[in-house]
Amino acid sequence: MMRALLLSVAVAAASPVAAQDIAITNAKLVVGDGSAPIEGGTVVVRGGKVVAAGAGVAVPAGIEAVDAGGRYVTPGIVAAFSRVGLVEVDAVPGTNDRAAARTRFSAGLDIAPALNPMGSPVAVNRAAGVTRAIVAPSGSSNLFAGQGAVVDLGDDMAMVTRPRALQFVAFGEDGSAKAGGSRAATFLLFREQLLAARSYARNPAALAEWGNDAMIQRADADALVRVIDGTTPLFVRVDRAADILNVLGLKSDFPALKLVLVGATEGWLVAPQIAAAKVPAILSPLSDLPDSFERLGATQSNAGRLKAAGIDVSVGVFDDDDAHKMGYTTQYAGNLVALTRQPGASGLSWDQAFAAISSAPARAIGMDGAIGSLKPGRVGDVVIWDRDPLELGSRPTAIWIDGKRQSLTTRQDRLRDRYATPQEGALPKAYDR
């Protein structure tokens, strides 16, 4: 029976669904770029790419037309920060590849080979409307955690959209714990490792000459060279206002750094400086309580205040269930809309909030020309919703990724259906297919 199961999986993986040429009409169309929804809109996807989206778009002859019935039609959600594909069961080490705590490598770690497109969290998040995700490692034995990837959540084995898409590093309390116990050690170690990588780039033989005194491995140096020259964005987990300013100051030593702030709980306190540096921020809107000394300035108004200062804001799921429940992002974005109705609070408009979970994360990772909206030329990631996608309880009724219709059924659905009405006698067989 197990051999039959493995064979069926292999056949399914070897036979991907072909991209469909479709036109979704009669939609409340959300392009995802921060513009207002378009009533009676149409989006046309050919060969896995969006070719047209807007009002008055004609349906080409010979392609399938899907009537959205006036419902919301949006680009797929882009999870701005996640560990999907790296974790199946958090408490089972054999299924948890988010961190490499005992390796001698750090920046050179590449999560792509560890990603599991058949893990149950992939289908769960896809069914919530998430079609792309920025996946980051969570730690190594050194300051740098490694190289993350951009992935799609399609029902096939080709999960990686862009490998080695970012480098992740934690400052603040997490970083100081890795660097020796203080923030001073964190910033010194960061600079020294980047300077070592710069020396390696100028003279690769120098690394061998350093021998056992080498601060980084060759693979780490190769990865950090791409950070120094701005090829790879550097996602920095940082929360305290003073730490944020020190991180921004790193650009004086390494001017080509493409920084992205992750967390930035006290970012609103230094919003003018972040805006002047033109650095985007990925926030968790539920970080509204001072649960540590580096987050004493926590407020739900953080996102609204940063946006008002001219900072490109994305909404992400972290310090939460970042592997299984990225669909929370729609609820978080909706909370920011609700804040606009609260006296004294700062939130986002509906259009801004949806962009914060679609095109803004794509810009942060440098891929807004390919994902995150329904502009022509972007991937055909399209979702039809049963109601306002930023309202709690809204669910997708249809999803396409790269123009391929996706299943909305998850393992949880199958278990529910199997055992919802048990009869006397033998229970259903667990592995029948």
Side-chain angles (χ1 to χ4, degrees), residues 132-175:
R132 304 275 160 172
I134 299 169
V135 185
S138 64
S140 72
S141 57
N142 207 317
L143 183 62
F144 290 93
Q147 301 169 95
V150 178
V151 304
D152 75 67
L153 276 66
D155 189 12
D156 57 54
M157 297 298 289
M159 187 178 193
V160 178
T161 303
R162 177 180 289 180
R164 299 174 296 282
L166 67 115
Q167 179 68 232
F168 182 63
V169 63
F171 280 78
E173 294 177 3
D174 289 345

Side-chain angles (χ1 to χ4, degrees), residues 67-419:
D67 187 344
R71 293 189 291 271
Y72 280 87
V73 174
T74 73
I77 304 304
V78 178
F81 191 84
S82 76
R83 270 79 190 224
V84 67
L86 292 177
V87 181
E88 180 75 25
V89 181
D90 293 84
V92 179
T95 72
N96 191 334
D97 289 302
R98 72 173 71 203
R102 294 183 297 277
T103 181
R104 63 185 179 132
F105 297 100
S106 57
L109 292 168
D110 176 6
I111 67 163
L115 292 166
N116 179 19
M118 297 193 68
S120 60
V122 173
V124 169
N125 287 294
R126 179 176 65 238
V130 180
T131 60
R132 304 275 160 172
I134 299 169
V135 185
S138 64
S140 72
S141 57
N142 207 317
L143 183 62
F144 290 93
Q147 301 169 95
V150 178
V151 304
D152 75 67
L153 276 66
D155 189 12
D156 57 54
M157 297 298 289
M159 187 178 193
V160 178
T161 303
R162 177 180 289 180
R164 299 174 296 282
L166 67 115
Q167 179 68 232
F168 182 63
V169 63
F171 280 78
E173 294 177 3
D174 289 345
S176 64
K178 294 285 181 64
S182 80
R183 285 171 167 81
T186 304
F187 283 93
L188 177 60
L189 181 60
F190 178 90
R191 285 190 173 91
E192 287 300 306
Q193 290 192 332
L194 261 64
L195 288 172
R198 179 185 285 171
S199 296
Y200 164 78
R202 293 169 179 169
N203 179 20
L207 196 63
E209 294 171 2
W210 294 335
N212 292 335
D213 294 328
M215 181 168 289
I216 52 179
Q217 304 295 319
R218 185 176 300 276
D220 302 329
D222 284 331
L224 290 180
V225 167
R226 294 192 291 274
V227 171
I228 294 170
D229 66 17
T231 301
T232 303
L234 181 65
F235 279 47
V236 182
R237 180 60 203 265
V238 60
D239 288 295
R240 194 166 77 174
D243 291 339
I244 293 171
L245 293 181
N246 285 326
V247 167
L248 297 179
L250 294 170
K251 288 178 70 69
S252 62
D253 293 330
F254 307 98
L257 286 180
K258 288 185 178 178
L259 296 173
V260 178
L261 303 179
V262 178
T265 303
E266 293 189 345
W268 64 278
L269 293 169
V270 290
Q273 293 92 324
I274 300 173
K278 296 182 171 57
V279 172
I282 300 173
L283 313 175
S284 174
L286 289 195
S287 294
D288 60 347
L289 292 173
D291 59 353
S292 70
F293 281 98
E294 63 181 356
R295 301 177 190 170
L296 293 178
T299 170
Q300 264 197 312
S301 291
N302 189 29
R305 292 171 182 174
L306 292 182
K307 187 68 177 179
I311 297 161
D312 201 9
V313 171
S314 301
V315 170
V317 175
F318 43 90
D319 298 334
D320 207 335
D321 197 340
D322 53 18
H324 300 85
K325 293 294 184 181
M326 284 143 25
Y328 286 166
T329 52
T330 54
Q331 176 188 343
Y332 293 174
N335 289 350
L336 293 176
V337 177
L339 279 181
T340 63
R341 306 183 187 115
Q342 300 300 316
S346 296
L348 302 179
S349 69
W350 195 100
D351 308 329
Q352 292 171 333
F354 195 89
I357 58 176
S358 54
S359 58
R363 279 193 300 276
I365 200 66
M367 293 185 64
D368 53 310
I371 65 175
S373 76
L374 296 180
K375 291 183 176 181
R378 276 61 172 181
V379 295
D381 293 2
V382 188
V383 182
I384 303 177
W385 301 83
D386 59 3
R387 55 179 72 87
D388 183 340
L390 301 189
E391 290 291 338
L392 185 63
S394 298
R395 301 294 296 175
T397 61
I399 296 176
W400 290 261
I401 297 178
D402 288 321
K404 304 169 188 175
R405 185 78 176 255
Q406 302 292 316
S407 170
L408 299 180
T409 302
T410 68
R411 180 173 181 270
Q412 287 87 330
D413 295 325
R414 292 192 293 271
L415 288 171
R416 177 203 61 200
D417 296 341
R418 181 178 290 158
Y419 298 112

